[in-house]
Amino acid sequence: MQRFFMKILLILMLCLLSPGTSAFAAQGSEVVFYPTDVSKAGELSYLQESVRLMLASRLAAIAGIQPQFTSKTTAGAASKYRVQSRVVSDAQGVTVSASVLSPSNTVPADFKVTAEKNSQVMKSLEDLVAEIAESLFDVKAKTAKSTAASETVAVTDFHTPHPDRQIKENSGFGLSITQDEFVAEMAVEVAATERYKSTVLSFRTQGMTAGDIDGDSLDEILIATNVKIHIFQLRDKRIHSLFAIALPALLKVHAINVADLNNNGVMEIYLSATRNDDPVSFVLEWHPETGVTWLHREVPLYIKPLLIPGKGAVLAGQRGGLEGGALTGIYQLLPEGKELVRGELLPVPDSVNLFDFVFADLEGDKIPEVVSINRKEELKVFNSNLELLYTSPPGFGGKELSEGLTPPVRIVVTDFDADGNDDILLVDNEKFSPKMMKQSKYYKNGQVRGLLWDKDLFLEMWRTNIFQKAIVDFQFMTHTEVSKPGGSVAGRLFVVEPAKGDSLEGLLFDDGGTRLSVFGLEFTPKGR
């Protein structure tokens, strides 16, 4: 029900933001949308509400109409446009049709499009909207200009000291790496070495992480939904499905992490979620021989393992606030029997929430800095005295935000150039939701960036090509045991994204699946 109202809000906001490009649009024509007929839609009958909402939202954006929703004819409807839509699925494909009765006519205008495959329904709906807009509202829908990925996203200025910035690119294994030549020559050169890609996974991802959780020297990948944790393993140049762990009911998962904090050789799985806007977290272990062991259940806190330079790995927690928010203060958590109790307060700014930051040794002096992404999607750095050292332009992180404490895409701390100073790896997703929708954000065109700290600012060491869907989550692991002689460092980049559609389409259609990709990377330090 809450998700339904989110859809209605989205449509209303689109209406308010529509510019109106014709005489009809300027008048704000009232259009009534009746429920979509799905009596012959077969397995696509779940699209009943989505199709109606899609037609309304796109017509609002293109033609400036004022959508109204009803399940039956009401008084005054004759003075408005009335739209009855239908979805039919048969051996020939999926047909979406709309019958539109104008106020001045007694005979409706009929429009119809057919998609050969279920995956083409979205595009067919766009075509249907374009026909209706042009025929009835005298508005020609504009086709978005398709541009090469390398031309679509502006590079954030990281104030490189080199006066003549030159860009170099190398491509291979389905991944393109772009670098500033000056940074590549002085710091590290990056190249792709391998790629593994899953089949389309039938679920929608809430979070992902990776690690050798069972100590067998093979990478496991954990993908969390609201109902299960799916465990995969990378071996024999393939991604294999190993196991699925059922989760308690009514969870909204927002983060999954792994770490061996109890030093028993098996990584614990730390799942942070909410239920009815209250934090509820779990700590568990999985091993192929012993199965699932639940260590802590129903913890009324947000939780995340953290690595603190000079101190080691700890479990951190934060109390919940109103409507899924959080209270100020992040604490180290300590096991006490089956309970997790609060220990010391961790040194972070009051404005930072648990999932917004990491500790990193940017200067190589074993003194931790705080690196965070705020709600404006700015990257910030604070020293150990919590003094602000740096603020980036906005644009980092970017994860679908609809309510409560929603973290940005994770920040990863590593050392690409093996110089003893921590480097930062993060995601830049492009926001495309209307600015007035402060409580909702939707993204596309995801990109991974590697940053090097240079005294008082970040330099961009490298960035990947654009993933046309928003990156939902990612992880990076170095594998020094397979590093090559001469100082090169090997690593793997794990990325999950929607298999199709952006986050707005995911909201409307609740489908699309998930795609997992793993890329091998090699880092060759320079300048030493």
Side-chain angles (χ1 to χ4, degrees), residues 61-108:
I62 294 171
I65 60 111
Q66 295 183 11
Q68 298 177 8
F69 302 92
T70 184
S71 58
K72 58 183 179 180
T73 303
T74 58
S79 63
K80 306 170 185 177
Y81 288 85
R82 286 164 283 175
V83 179
Q84 292 182 314
S85 51
R86 190 183 191 197
V87 177
V88 175
S89 179
D90 53 29
Q92 282 68 49
V94 182
T95 298
V96 184
S97 60
S99 179
V100 185
L101 187 61
S102 303
S104 57
N105 293 330
T106 56
V107 178

Side-chain angles (χ1 to χ4, degrees), residues 64-341:
I65 60 111
Q66 295 183 11
Q68 298 177 8
F69 302 92
T70 184
S71 58
K72 58 183 179 180
T73 303
T74 58
S79 63
K80 306 170 185 177
Y81 288 85
R82 286 164 283 175
V83 179
Q84 292 182 314
S85 51
R86 190 183 191 197
V87 177
V88 175
S89 179
D90 53 29
Q92 282 68 49
V94 182
T95 298
V96 184
S97 60
S99 179
V100 185
L101 187 61
S102 303
S104 57
N105 293 330
T106 56
V107 178
D110 294 322
F111 305 87
K112 181 173 68 174
V113 292
T114 299
E116 293 183 1
K117 302 178 181 178
N118 292 1
S119 60
Q120 298 172 343
V121 172
M122 179 71 183
K123 177 61 172 63
S124 296
L125 272 169
E126 293 280 7
D127 295 340
L128 184 67
V129 168
E131 288 184 26
I132 296 172
E134 187 170 357
S135 177
L136 297 183
F137 300 102
D138 197 27
V139 176
K140 188 172 181 61
K142 295 181 180 179
T143 302
K145 184 179 180 180
S146 176
T147 313
S150 60
E151 300 174 352
T152 57
V153 173
V155 178
T156 302
D157 182 10
F158 282 99
H159 312 291
T160 173
H162 197 259
D164 301 311
R165 184 168 188 168
Q166 299 293 323
I167 300 298
K168 61 182 296 184
E169 293 189 15
N170 64 78
S171 299
F173 300 94
L175 191 70
S176 176
I177 303 291
T178 302
Q179 287 188 274
D180 184 300
E181 283 193 355
F182 173 74
V183 175
E185 287 301 317
M186 295 303 295
V188 64
E189 188 168 350
V190 187
T193 60
E194 58 183 352
R195 182 195 190 187
Y196 310 101
K197 193 174 184 179
S198 74
T199 58
V200 175
L201 307 175
S202 61
F203 46 78
R204 188 178 183 190
T205 302
Q206 301 299 318
M208 181 274 299
T209 193
D212 179 12
I213 63 173
D214 57 359
D216 63 356
S217 299
L218 297 174
D219 290 338
E220 278 79 40
I221 305 116
L222 287 76
I223 299 181
T225 71
N226 287 330
V227 295
K228 288 182 181 180
I229 297 174
H230 297 267
I231 302 177
F232 300 86
Q233 188 178 72
L234 186 58
R235 71 175 188 274
D236 303 327
K237 298 185 177 181
R238 290 183 59 192
I239 297 173
H240 298 265
S241 177
L242 293 185
F243 198 76
I245 303 171
L247 297 176
L250 305 178
L251 295 184
K252 290 185 178 179
V253 173
H254 52 252
I256 183 170
N257 292 281
V258 294
D260 184 13
L261 299 187
N262 60 13
N263 297 312
N264 69 345
V266 178
M267 285 188 170
E268 303 90 62
I269 302 168
Y270 296 89
L271 188 78
S272 194
T274 59
R275 181 187 290 132
N276 299 325
D277 289 339
D278 295 321
V280 53
S281 298
F282 302 84
V283 183
L284 59 150
E285 289 180 344
W286 176 83
H287 192 278
E289 295 180 1
T290 58
V292 180
T293 303
W294 294 87
L295 303 179
H296 301 283
R297 295 176 178 264
E298 305 284 341
V299 179
L301 299 165
Y302 301 108
I303 63 172
K304 183 179 82 169
L306 285 169
L307 181 62
I308 305 178
K311 182 175 182 177
V314 303
L315 180 61
Q318 188 172 19
R319 293 172 295 171
L322 297 175
E323 297 181 352
L327 298 178
T328 299
I330 297 172
Y331 297 84
Q332 181 177 349
L333 298 180
L334 303 170
E336 193 173 281
K338 291 294 184 179
E339 304 296 324
L340 290 174
V341 298

